[in-house]
Amino acid sequence: MDKSESHEKMAAEMKQRLKVDELEENIDELEDVVEDVFPVLIVCVLVCVVLTLVFLLRMYIRYNVECPSNNRMDGKAVLITGGTSGLGKATALELAKRNARVLITGREKSKVEAVARAIRKKTGNQHVNALVLDLANIRSIREFAKDFVKEEKALHVLINNAAYMGPKAATDDGLERGFGVNFLGHFYLTHLLTDKLRKNAPSRIINVVSGSYADGELDLEDLALNKNFNVHKSYARSKLAQVIFNQEYHRRHISGCVWSFGVHPGCVKTELLRSYPGLLGNILRVFARFMFKSPEEGCQTIVYCAVADGLRDFSGKVFSNCKVMKVKDSLVKNRELAKELFKVSAQLCGFEDELAQNAPAHEEKQKDDEEKKKE
């Protein structure tokens, strides 16, 4: 081998060594970069996963169906409790657009009048009126119903919407406020207006309930909820009572062509959470702002049950997203519990004697209906 070939071989070996050394240096530099960037990459991935899950959860919670019925309500009268905000106000607006005579209630005269005035201006429907009603006061309900029956010519749809969710408090009659307002107040109002609804049959009652009814426990011996009170427990119990009442009312009055529907509107951004106490209340209020349905979205099933055709056979059912929702039979279809709830509620409202007089005929009608089904 001559010197030139030897020099070329040595040069090639040197270049190879340099390449290896350079590669090792690049690898070391890359490892350093990865060590510096890896935590940031992990954080970015986690953030993306969380945002994706929040987006999917929001889509699930806000899933909604628009009312498929275009029926108008010319000549129909609708009474809505709790109509100054949230679902009540949105429902009043939608039904006013369909030319219903809309009567909205609230505790503060000035506030309910302002809402009625705004709806009249927005829809051009001049038959939107404000009425004062305090569902936390039995006497107020009785006087309201007396005046309503006397002054109003008709009632075709009663929407029991008003609700309370908050710290433990009492009604004017000394009852636990959640039970008193959400259930008992509406129970008594419905009883007092039933004759009016019968005279305008076919008519409808819509009870705005909640999926939280499934968490409720109905202890008729502890209506003050002295045992382990908490906000959710109180609310769930009142909604369970409403769902039970919805079916019991159907059994008692379907023969008079008064149909009863429950509506679970889903999670809706309303003022219901305004009184929820503590840190959890603050978190729920913030969460509701961007995760829950708007009142306009949430009211669609209420409107559907108020205007749609072909719902007679679904009286007594609970609707969600304009379809019948399955309920927990073990809680809701206990007829003995329903009768006992009806009896205790009548006693609290002061018309148990009237209930006792009507009970035999009602029970006989139930027996006849059951025999016909068997045949």
Side-chain angles (χ1 to χ4, degrees), residues 78-85 88-89 92-93 102-121 127-134 144 161-162:
V78 182
L79 176 63
I80 306 173
T81 66
T84 57
S85 65
K89 181 179 178 181
L93 180 63
V102 180
L103 305 155
I104 58 177
T105 76
R107 289 178 297 164
E108 300 176 25
K109 184 177 180 180
S110 59
K111 187 174 182 179
V112 70
E113 286 180 342
V115 172
R117 188 163 53 248
I119 293 175
R120 287 196 296 267
K121 183 177 180 180
H127 302 293
V128 180
N129 294 333
L131 302 172
V132 177
L133 170 63
D134 184 1
F144 171 88
N161 164 73

Side-chain angles (χ1 to χ4, degrees), residues 60-110:
Y60 174 76
I61 292 174
R62 292 180 64 104
Y63 173 73
N64 195 65
V65 175
E66 289 191 10
C67 174
S69 174
N70 294 319
N71 289 350
R72 291 178 59 79
M73 297 197 73
D74 302 300
K76 302 290 185 180
V78 182
L79 176 63
I80 306 173
T81 66
T84 57
S85 65
L87 285 169
K89 181 179 178 181
T91 302
L93 180 63
E94 289 296 319
L95 296 180
K97 289 178 181 178
R98 296 171 186 253
N99 204 37
R101 174 174 171 76
V102 180
L103 305 155
I104 58 177
T105 76
R107 289 178 297 164
E108 300 176 25
K109 184 177 180 180
S110 59

